[in-house]
Structures are given as structure tokens and as C-alpha cells.
Amino acid sequence: MTLDGVKRSDLATLAFTFFALGVTVSAAMVERGVSSGVTLAGAVFILSATSQLAHLAVTDAGGSEIVGVLSGSLVATRFGLMAMSLSTRYEGSTLERAAAAVVSFDPNVALAMQEKTPEAVRRTFWWAIGSMLFGWILGTGVGLSLGDVMGDGGAWGLDAVFPAALLAIIGGLLRRRDGMLAALVGAGLCLALLPIAPGGVPILASALGAIVAALWSRQ
Amino acid sequence: MSWAVVFFLTLGVAGQRLLGMFVAGPVLAKRPALRSVADLLPAAVVAAVILQLTVTTKGALTVDARLIGLAVAGVLVWRRAPLILVVLAAAAVTGLFRLLT
């Protein structure tokens, strides 16, 4: 069953995936006493679950808000890369291209890039992001109400949810040898620095893992 | 998280997306070495975020049930399980382990 050339099952899976992510992130916010307004605004404007979780990781560890924002922005580098790949195939007015850039995620760009004509690229891109945002906002709403009911997330294993979701998000990169090396070096550096460096620094330092892995894969 | 954090994270994230579309696209595409570093950044940085979320409590190193939840998630991601299954299994295993110990 297709809808304008895009598989309906793909769109449903995207909506469901982002629903789960929305619940996860907003429940984490509620658990930390963040207000509903800020949580909702974060979901609508930041448009990067990874950035929100990275910010939480830094501030949970006692890092400053500035380092938290830096780390949150650093983990969103991949969205810049997604927009970069999309720029080669997406045709439209400057305003439309800017709108597409702001909602560039891994799944919608990956799906759109597989299309042959500029028309199909645009259609697939917007159908995919529509499904993702639908699930994301719905999930945020559910998380906002569930977060209160859940109370102490630890008892529900809620604190294990964020790392698991992040692991699934970078799953594709971990299947590549250079991706796995980057992850191992990044995590290793972070672990080594955790007991001695101020909060946030271990996360920022992990970026070196990408340089090490890139140098290794050039040989 | 506060309104200021939402504002600056929005700027940081949307700014990178716009840079990617209008600036990095033409420039970076010609430099494969830089591109591969940028390509690998999410793996390195997100892995560190995962580690910190799993083995620290308020900045101090701690080993607890979260590590078991992450191990289960790792196996499921490796077997290409859908995100919802990965997330629910990690939470269930971690919660159950706490209940039993």
C-alpha cells in the first residue's frame, strides 16, 4: 500500500519510533522537575532528542548549563550532515530549502535520497517528516502525563531507557568498523576522564574518537 | 532544562542544519577527509553520552542495574530490533533486576 509513492508501513514505523522517543525524552524532563511548557517548547523547537539527552547527561553529572548546551549542539552535528547531503538533491526556493534543513533527520533524509526525481525527493521527505513529527509531538504529550504517574523513574527502569534509545539511534554507525572504533575511543576517553575532569569535559573530549577513527580508516 | 537552554539549543541545532544546507554542502563535499570526521562524530560523542548515562550517578562512577539494561539493548540493536522493543526491553530488564535484588 503506497501513499503518493511512499510506503504506508514505513510512515507508520517512523511515527511509532518517534512516538517512543517523544515519551522517553519528555518523561525524563518531567522526572527532573522541568515544567510542561519548557518540555513542550523543547520538543517543538530544538527538534533533536539526542541534544536534549546529551544536555541532561551533562547537567546530571554536575556540568554547567553552558557545557550542557555545547554538548547538546555537538551531538547534533549529524543533522547538519544530513541537511548537507539533502542540499545536493533538494530543489526549491531558498525559504523551502531552509524549512527542509531545519527538519532534516536521519530517516527522512535517507528515504528521500533514495528517490530518483526532484519531485519524488520532496514528496518523500515531507511525508516522512510529517509522520515523524506526528509521533514525536503525540509521544511528548503522553510522556508529559505519564511522567507524573511514573514518579520515580528508577523503579520502572526509566533511567535505562535513554541510553538504550541512543544506542539504537547510532546502531547503523556501530555496524561500520570505523564507526565502532570512533564509539569505543570516544566512550573510553569519557570513562578515563570522568573521575578527574569537570562535568561535560569528558563528553566534549570524546569527539577526539571521531578523529582517531577517521585517521585509522584512511590507511 | 530552562527556557534559556531551549533557546540556545534550538539555535545550536537549527544553526548547524542551516549551515549544512547552505554552507557545508558545497564546501565539505570537496574534502573527503573532513567529511569522514564529521561522519563519525555522532558515533564517538553519543557513545560517550550513553556511557555517562549508564555508569554515573550525579557525577560519581557507579555500577548498577542500568548496565544490564544497556547490555540487553546492545544485543537487540545488534539483532536489528525496532527502537520501541529496544527501549522497552532495556527498561523492563533494569526494573526487574532492581525488583529482584
Side-chain angles (χ1 to χ4, degrees):
Chain A
M1 182 74 87
T2 64
L3 199 73
D4 238 355
V6 196
K7 267 199 209 132
R8 274 192 193 177
S9 58
D10 281 355
L11 295 179
T13 309
L14 282 178
F16 194 56
T17 301
F18 279 78
F19 173 81
L21 212 53
V23 174
T24 303
V25 173
S26 62
M29 298 293 169
V30 172
E31 197 193 354
R32 284 164 180 79
V34 178
S35 77
S36 300
V38 170
T39 302
L40 199 60
V44 172
F45 294 117
I46 300 174
L47 293 173
S48 165
T50 327
S51 300
Q52 290 180 279
L53 293 179
H55 173 268
L56 285 187
V58 169
T59 47
D60 278 0
S64 71
E65 294 287 357
I66 293 172
V67 178
V69 168
L70 271 179
S71 306
S73 301
L74 194 65
V75 292
T77 313
R78 76 173 197 280
F79 295 136
L81 294 169
M82 288 294 142
M84 184 186 84
S85 347
L86 188 68
S87 75
T88 59
R89 299 286 310 279
Y90 196 99
E91 292 177 12
S93 68
T94 304
L95 197 66
E96 190 187 328
R97 283 163 62 88
V102 171
V103 292
S104 288
F105 288 86
D106 325 41
N108 60 340
V109 172
L111 277 175
M113 297 294 282
Q114 291 167 35
E115 300 289 358
K116 302 248 179 338
T117 67
E119 251 329 291
V121 168
R122 283 164 87 182
R123 198 175 51 220
T124 299
F125 180 84
W126 289 107
W127 270 112
I129 188 61
S131 311
M132 289 157 62
L133 289 179
F134 174 74
W136 171 245
I137 301 299
L138 198 68
T140 301
V142 169
L144 275 175
S145 30
L146 265 187
D148 287 331
V149 180
M150 283 173 155
D152 176 18
W156 296 74
L158 205 65
D159 50 350
V161 158
F162 332 129
L166 288 178
L167 195 61
I169 286 172
I170 60 165
L173 275 166
L174 296 181
R175 287 175 200 289
R176 288 165 36 181
R177 294 178 73 178
D178 54 352
M180 181 54 102
L181 183 66
L184 288 177
V185 174
L189 274 172
C190 178
L191 185 63
L193 288 170
L194 266 175
I196 48 173
V201 172
I203 301 269
L204 290 175
S206 69
L208 287 174
I211 297 172
V212 171
L215 288 175
W216 171 82
S217 67
R218 282 184 81 188
Q219 290 171 0
Chain B
M1 183 134 333
S2 61
W3 287 106
V5 169
V6 170
F7 176 78
F8 286 111
L9 270 183
T10 301
L11 235 105
V13 176
Q16 289 186 84
R17 281 174 163 144
L18 292 170
L19 277 177
M21 174 66 84
F22 296 108
V23 182
V27 176
L28 260 190
K30 291 173 198 151
R31 302 180 181 217
L34 271 182
R35 218 215 126 129
S36 71
V37 172
D39 202 24
L40 292 166
L41 261 182
V45 179
V46 173
V49 172
I50 293 169
L51 179 97
Q52 188 163 327
L53 285 170
T54 308
V55 302
T56 64
T57 305
K58 299 218 172 5
L61 281 174
T62 36
V63 172
D64 60 22
R66 284 174 293 176
L67 209 53
I68 297 164
L70 187 70
V72 170
V75 171
L76 287 171
V77 168
W78 175 53
R79 302 297 305 264
R80 296 173 195 268
L83 175 70
I84 184 69
L85 191 67
V86 174
V87 163
L88 290 180
V93 168
T94 306
L96 263 179
F97 187 82
R98 287 203 179 111
L99 207 66
L100 297 175
T101 51

